[in-house]
Amino acid sequence: MSTATAAGTTFRPSGPLPGAWRLGLLRGDLEIRAFFRQREQAVFTFAFPIILLVLFASVFGDDVKGGGVTASQLYVPAMIAAGIMSTSFQSLGVSIAIERDQKQLRRLRGTPMPPSAYFLGKVWLVLVTGVLETAALLAVGTFLYDVDLPATPEKWFTFGWIFVLGLTSCTLLGIAISSVPKTGQSASSVVTLPFQVLQFISGVYIVITSLSDWMLSVAALFPLKWMVQGLRGVFLPESAVVLEPSGGWEPGLVALVLGAWCVGGLVLCLLTFRWKSRDDG
């Protein structure tokens, strides 16, 4: 590939262009730097789940009858799961819709950069912010609410695959839902509404024992409920399993549902993602 200069000569690259993986790393570095340059957005992203955890744990801090845990301890894994979904589903759903509306995606599509590099950049952003968010919530949970860190390699392994599958499924769903808003201005409302509803019916804001059967049935169709349930099995003592409506943590079913949403989310992305806004045709 050659590029014309102002003097009319032609410049030819001395070597091949970087591959998609290398460009994805560079794109990820750009995404991460841009995220942290917007200090208000970065502070709000990390502080919001922590503030909610402290508020809910302060209001509902009593012991849960028969569970051997406090309500505040139940909120820790719930808010970790919500934080994972916030840094992936909500963040990407809004930001990609805005980038599309501002024609940034259209311009990127016209460059030699392969499309996969753009998505790899988003993955690196989600991974970094998701890890930082989770670490912050774990620190608050262990120091303020006596939540024990996993004591065995098996539980750490369970935590790892729940984090990876949850982050992957929510990232793909965030990319898919970014095509729903008609404009960048409406993206926040369109993406935040289902996320907020899911938090209420998945055991994030309301303790799982207080939810009705129909709410749990609806929540079971989406990843958040299963992330919350799986993380309760990681961080809470075995005595708390009696609080589960199913009577168990069901790690196998958690893995199955989250894995299915990874596949389903990928299909939705392939079917719905657009580089141009609807006004651009």
Side-chain angles (χ1 to χ4, degrees):
M1 183 179 66
S2 61
T3 304
T5 65
T9 59
T10 300
F11 169 75
R12 296 183 181 277
S14 58
L17 291 174
W21 180 253
R22 172 63 176 166
L23 290 173
L25 288 174
L26 295 173
R27 180 72 193 180
D29 179 67
L30 179 63
E31 294 273 3
I32 294 168
R33 289 175 183 271
F35 173 81
F36 283 103
R37 285 196 186 105
Q38 301 177 29
R39 295 184 180 179
E40 294 85 357
Q41 176 188 351
V43 170
F44 179 82
T45 298
F46 293 123
F48 187 63
I50 295 173
I51 292 172
L52 286 180
L53 171 59
V54 173
L55 287 176
F56 281 107
S58 299
V59 175
F60 307 103
D62 298 334
D63 292 342
V64 180
K65 186 176 180 179
V69 294
T70 62
S72 59
Q73 290 175 313
L74 285 174
Y75 278 115
V76 174
M79 292 309 303
I80 290 175
I84 292 172
M85 193 166 186
S86 173
T87 55
S88 52
F89 173 80
Q90 184 177 27
S91 176
L92 291 186
V94 174
S95 64
I96 293 177
I98 292 174
E99 289 174 1
R100 181 185 293 110
D101 193 46
Q102 294 176 344
K103 304 189 188 309
Q104 295 182 39
L105 296 187
R106 185 178 180 179
R107 290 194 292 270
L108 284 173
R109 193 69 180 93
T111 68
M113 183 184 75
S116 58
Y118 171 77
F119 295 109
L120 282 172
K122 293 295 185 185
V123 168
W124 282 114
L125 172 63
V126 166
L127 181 61
V128 169
T129 53
V131 167
L132 292 176
E133 182 75 85
T134 300
L137 287 166
L138 277 177
V140 172
T142 54
F143 287 113
L144 295 184
Y145 303 112
D146 298 323
V147 172
D148 295 327
L149 292 175
T152 63
E154 291 78 12
K155 284 206 169 186
W156 276 114
F157 176 73
T158 300
F159 170 71
W161 65 252
I162 291 173
F163 178 85
V164 171
L165 289 180
L167 194 73
T168 301
S169 60
C170 291
T171 295
L172 292 168
L173 289 175
I175 295 172
I177 201 173
S178 71
S179 297
V180 175
K182 292 183 178 180
T183 65
Q185 292 180 336
S186 65
S188 181
S189 300
V190 171
V191 175
T192 302
L193 177 60
F195 179 43
Q196 291 295 335
V197 171
L198 283 177
Q199 288 181 94
F200 274 103
I201 65 176
S202 300
V204 176
Y205 293 154
I206 301 174
V207 176
I208 195 74
T209 53
S210 302
L211 294 171
S212 61
D213 291 341
W214 74 266
M215 289 183 179
L216 293 174
S217 298
V218 174
L221 300 174
F222 301 95
L224 183 57
K225 183 262 184 188
W226 298 101
M227 285 193 289
V228 176
Q229 180 174 318
L231 291 176
R232 283 198 297 265
V234 171
F235 293 105
L236 299 183
E238 287 301 319
S239 60
V241 76
V242 299
L243 302 175
E244 295 297 321
S246 62
W249 307 121
E250 301 179 299
L253 188 55
V254 171
L256 179 64
V257 175
L258 293 180
W261 268 112
C262 289
V263 176
L266 178 60
V267 172
L268 286 174
C269 288
L270 295 174
L271 293 176
T272 64
F273 187 79
R274 295 178 290 105
W275 293 92
K276 300 178 182 179
S277 65
R278 291 187 177 92
D279 293 338
D280 293 332

